[in-house]
Structure formats: C-alpha cells, structure tokens
Amino acid sequence: MIRFSLVMSMVLFYILDAFFPSVNLSVIFNLVAVAVFFAMLPLLELKGRIFTLSLFSIGMMIHFMVGDLGIHLIEGITQNLALLSILILAPLLSVPLRREGVIDTVVVYLNTVKSNPRNTFYGISSFMLTLAPILNMGALRIVHGFVESIQFPSKYLSRSYYVGFTPAVMWSPFFASVGIVLFYLDITYLSYVAVGAFFALMQMALGIFLFRPESVLKEEAAMEGEMEVSVQNIGRKRDIYALIGFVLGLVLLLIVMEQAFQKSMLLLVSIVCIIVPAGWVIVRKKRKLIQEELSLYKSKILSQKMEICLFLSAGLFGNSISHTPVKQLLEQSMQWSATQSIGVLFVFIILFVTLMAFLGVHQIIVIPLILTSLNFAQMPNVAVVSVAFMCIFTWMLSSAISPLNAMNIIISQCVQKNGVTVAFKWNGTYFLSVTIMAFVYIYILSWI
C-alpha cells in the first residue's frame, strides 16, 4: 500500500506542479519521485535493477561532475513524468468499457469467427486498433488475455497484433511517441494529428493487404451469417459502436481541452484518465465498485514497476547527458544530415535511434536528445511537423523490432517466440514496406 500511495502522490504532484508551479512544490515533487524509484527498485528482476540503477547512478555522477550539488543531483528525474503518469492512469479508462460489457461483446464476436482465419485476423487487428489508442501497452496484454484461448496460429497472431497496434503509435496522444515529440517540438496535437492519422490508416491498410490469411469463401459466408445472428441474439451490436465512439470522443475531448486551456497534451491526457472513469462512477451510480476496482488497479500499478523505474532513471540520465559533449556531437551530426536532404536526415534518425534501441537505450532517452539538438533556424527547408513524423515513426519502428523494447517483448511473449523471429522473420516484410512508405510520405509532406 505504501508503494501504491507513493506512486499516486507522485502523479498528483505532477498535476499540481503543472497548474501551480513553485520552487518548494518542485523540490517535494522531485523527492517523491526519488522515493518512488527506490521503493519500486527491490521489486525488479536482477537485470532490471542493475540497468535502472546504473542509469540513475551515472546520471547523478554526471551532474556532480558538471558542478551540481544537493537537489540538483537528481535534476531531470521528473522529466518523463508527463508520459509516466499516462501509463499509470490509462488503465482506469478500461473500467467503464469492462463494466458496461463492451469488451465482452468483442470477445463474443471473435469466438464466433475463430474457425475462419481471415475474419479472426481482421477481428483481432480491429480490436487492437480500437483499444490501443487509449490503453497503450495495456491493450496488448488485455487483448491477448481474451484471444489466447482461440488458438490462432502464432505467426498470424503476431501479425494481427503488430498491424492493429503499431498504427496507434503514430497518432494517439496516449503514446509516448506522440506526447514526448510534440512536447519537445512545442507544437499542438491538432497541428499533427491529421499527418499521423492519415499515415496510420495507410499503414493499417498495407498490413491487412500483406498479411490477410487465406479463407474459403463458402466458409466465410457461413461464418458471416452466423456472426450476424449471434450479434442480433445478444443484442450488443451497439457496444461495438460505443467502443469506437468512446475512443473518438476521448480524442475530440482532448483536442477541445487543448485549445481551451493551452496546456500540454500529456497533462490533459492524464487529467482525462481521471475524470472520465470518475464521471462514469457518478453518472452510473457505481460507488460500490470503487473498492473492488481500486484493488485491481493497485495490482496493475505494481506490475508496471519496470516502466516506472525505467522512466524515472531515464529522465535523470537523459537530462545529465545534455550537459556533456555527446550532445554537441549529436547536434553537429543532425545539422549536417539536415543540410544534405530530408531523406538523409530521416535515415540518420532511423539508424541512430534503432541502434540505440538494440543496445538497450530506450527511445525516451534518445528522441529528446535528437529533438533538443535540432536548430530549425539552420534548417529552413525542413518543416517542424515533418520532423515530428520522422521521430514518431522511428520510435514506432525501433520499438517494434528491437528485442529489448517493451512492444517486441510483450508480443513475443504472447506468441511464445523470440523477438528476432517475430519482428524479422514473420513481420519483416511489413516493417520494410512501411519504412519505404514512410520515406515517400516524408517527401510528399515536404512538397505540400
């Protein structure tokens, strides 16, 4: 209970500090974040403890070497709190969906088409595509928990997960890829969402075209008829529309709030993750469920111990690196790439971020270094939104193919195959095709 209270206090201080910034509040905020890190650290596996503690220690050492003392030694530990708070709070959004039976409806549908490979592939991909924008990585665990009993072949299961999940990384404000990039580039979500969403649609279409399983037409027709009767019998067809409407409604709400309050999209997402389930409890008079849901939520938070420690230590480490010559070298490389062509810049970002991802350095460390190294005054031919797209795409690609990143790890665990096989042997064609499409897309953006 102490760990859970510390984590929730940290999130609360993040929100308070955003609305009522003060020196004293920032100091308390930083100290609570440090307390959370050391409270969660013993729960990690040995490799996780060594890795996150190394990031934390090296970050402090670098700060000390550049002359920082006292509270400044942990400067940057809250740098990634905007994103971490979303990962912590996002599971709350699943409460109304689960309690209203919306998710159960989709599971019933998947069970009716499980003997048809093509419809199963479409169903799982669509289910993932709908949940991923609001539940982030949690969508992978939730969807797999529902569909693992269907016994869909591992290869097609991994493909349906990638095809349904990766497009959300390109546009959803609930993802670090979007939130962090827009935050550092200081542009609004509204100015980017059309660029990311349109590419996500093309990405989804390409995945379906490449990976759709073969299916017998007669069997398909029979299953479609069975599905239609089943949906009518259970009287829950409206739930499918409710799920889609819920996601679109959240995005629309965030866009309106961004324009009204002029606050960071990451902050607004965290607030929405609180007010939406709270509003559901009040409107539906479900106060009796609070204690039960709180117990489930507590276990979910503690299961995110690695993410919590990683994001805190990565924030401290990344902040300290910005004071070293590494930052200057990266700035020179970025500026040189930008002066060659937008394609060369894109290649550099992809190679650098992906290499770091394969070495175990998370994108949440590398991408901010890249973004703070750019000088747009010396890049008159490069639009800010194009850089945003390149960084977000690279984040998605490197997360999907690196065996040391959460997305690849979770999907490979779900299908019980190693990350290299899942990413390259089974889905390599998809990622290569999507990358080529991204390069074409970048040049189209530069012409518009």
Side-chain angles (χ1 to χ4, degrees):
M1 191 65 185
I2 295 177
R3 291 186 175 96
F4 177 71
S5 300
L6 280 173
V7 171
M8 298 313 296
S9 298
M10 179 178 66
V11 173
L12 176 62
F13 278 118
Y14 158 66
I15 296 174
L16 290 174
D17 187 60
F19 283 99
F20 311 104
S22 70
V23 175
N24 292 334
L25 187 59
S26 295
V27 170
I28 297 174
F29 181 24
N30 283 316
L31 292 176
V32 171
V34 173
V36 169
F37 176 79
F38 283 105
M40 289 293 189
L41 193 64
L43 301 180
L44 303 184
E45 296 179 357
L46 180 60
K47 290 197 300 185
R49 285 201 301 270
I50 293 174
F51 181 66
T52 55
L53 190 57
S54 296
L55 288 178
F56 187 93
S57 302
I58 294 171
M60 288 189 64
M61 289 172 58
I62 294 174
H63 274 299
F64 181 76
M65 290 170 62
V66 298
D68 291 334
L69 296 172
I71 193 69
H72 294 294
L73 289 174
I74 57 170
E75 185 178 351
I77 192 169
T78 59
Q79 183 169 296
N80 296 324
L81 239 298
L83 168 63
L84 182 57
S85 66
I86 295 176
L87 293 180
I88 292 171
L89 297 173
L92 292 173
L93 291 174
S94 67
V95 175
L97 295 174
R98 184 161 37 82
R99 289 293 182 177
E100 294 291 343
V102 174
I103 293 179
D104 289 339
T105 297
V106 181
V107 176
V108 169
Y109 163 73
L110 291 176
N111 276 316
T112 63
V113 299
K114 64 183 179 181
S115 60
N116 185 304
R118 179 170 291 184
N119 282 351
T120 302
F121 175 79
Y122 292 157
I124 295 174
S125 297
S126 300
F127 191 19
M128 185 70 74
L129 182 70
T130 309
L131 287 183
I134 59 173
L135 298 183
N136 208 301
M137 290 294 178
L140 288 168
R141 296 187 176 96
I142 290 173
V143 173
H144 185 69
F146 289 134
V147 305
E148 60 182 339
S149 60
I150 294 178
Q151 297 181 338
F152 199 47
S154 295
K155 179 189 293 187
Y156 288 110
L157 191 60
S158 72
R159 289 175 172 177
S160 63
Y161 286 169
Y162 273 129
V163 169
F165 188 84
T166 53
V169 185
M170 295 302 305
W171 70 271
S172 172
F174 288 82
F175 276 83
S177 53
V178 175
I180 291 292
V181 170
L182 299 188
F183 174 78
Y184 276 96
L185 289 177
D186 194 25
I187 59 176
T188 65
Y189 178 68
L190 190 59
S191 65
Y192 168 78
V193 63
V195 172
F198 186 71
F199 184 84
L201 287 174
M202 294 194 299
Q203 185 177 343
M204 180 74 176
L206 179 62
I208 290 175
F209 173 77
L210 290 175
F211 290 151
R212 64 193 187 285
E214 294 297 328
S215 109
V216 180
L217 294 177
K218 291 183 180 179
E219 178 187 9
E220 184 175 351
M223 293 305 300
E224 285 176 352
E226 181 182 340
M227 177 204 69
E228 186 176 353
V229 172
S230 177
V231 172
Q232 289 174 351
N233 288 341
I234 62 177
R236 291 290 187 102
K237 190 173 184 179
R238 65 184 182 278
D239 288 346
I240 297 176
Y241 297 114
L243 178 58
I244 298 173
F246 184 73
V247 175
L248 296 178
L250 286 178
V251 174
L252 180 61
L253 175 62
L254 286 167
I255 291 175
V256 172
M257 289 176 67
E258 182 184 49
Q259 298 301 306
F261 298 108
Q262 300 297 311
K263 291 290 184 179
S264 163
M265 178 58 73
L266 292 174
L267 173 65
L268 297 177
V269 169
S270 296
I271 294 173
V272 165
C273 288
I274 297 173
I275 64 174
V276 168
W280 174 80
V281 168
I282 295 172
V283 172
R284 299 287 286 170
K285 299 179 181 179
K286 300 289 186 178
R287 293 178 180 84
K288 294 181 180 179
L289 297 175
I290 292 178
Q291 187 172 358
E292 180 183 348
E293 288 295 337
L294 192 62
S295 178
L296 293 172
Y297 179 60
K298 177 184 173 183
S299 64
K300 288 180 181 178
I301 296 303
L302 296 180
S303 70
Q304 293 180 317
K305 52 189 178 293
M306 183 61 192
E307 288 90 343
I308 292 173
C309 289
L310 173 62
F311 281 41
L312 292 174
S313 58
L316 175 59
F317 178 77
N319 182 271
S320 67
I321 287 294
S322 65
H323 300 301
T324 67
V326 172
K327 178 72 175 299
Q328 298 174 356
L329 179 61
L330 184 58
E331 286 178 355
Q332 294 171 1
S333 301
M334 291 292 294
Q335 296 304 328
W336 176 86
S337 301
T339 57
Q340 302 305 305
S341 72
I342 193 170
V344 173
L345 177 62
F346 197 11
V347 168
F348 176 82
I349 293 174
I350 289 177
L351 292 178
F352 181 67
V353 176
T354 304
L355 175 61
M356 291 297 101
F358 271 84
L359 294 176
V361 183
H362 199 275
Q363 294 84 355
I364 203 167
I365 299 174
V366 182
I367 293 293
L369 287 176
I370 288 176
L371 295 175
T372 55
S373 299
L374 290 170
N375 184 351
F376 285 96
Q378 299 178 14
M379 301 162 51
N381 297 324
V382 180
V384 177
V385 71
S386 296
V387 173
F389 173 82
M390 288 188 284
C391 289
I392 292 170
F393 175 83
T394 302
W395 192 314
M396 178 275 293
L397 178 67
S398 56
S399 297
I401 66 177
S402 170
L404 299 179
N405 269 239
M407 187 195 308
N408 183 282
I409 291 172
I410 293 173
I411 292 178
S412 60
Q413 286 177 345
C414 289
V415 301
Q416 298 181 345
K417 284 287 183 178
N418 67 76
V420 175
T421 297
V422 171
F424 291 93
K425 185 176 180 180
W426 289 353
N427 295 278
T429 302
Y430 170 65
F431 291 119
L432 178 61
S433 302
V434 168
T435 302
I436 294 172
M437 187 170 68
F439 272 91
V440 175
Y441 195 64
I442 276 294
Y443 278 103
I444 293 175
L445 288 178
S446 66
W447 291 333
I448 296 177

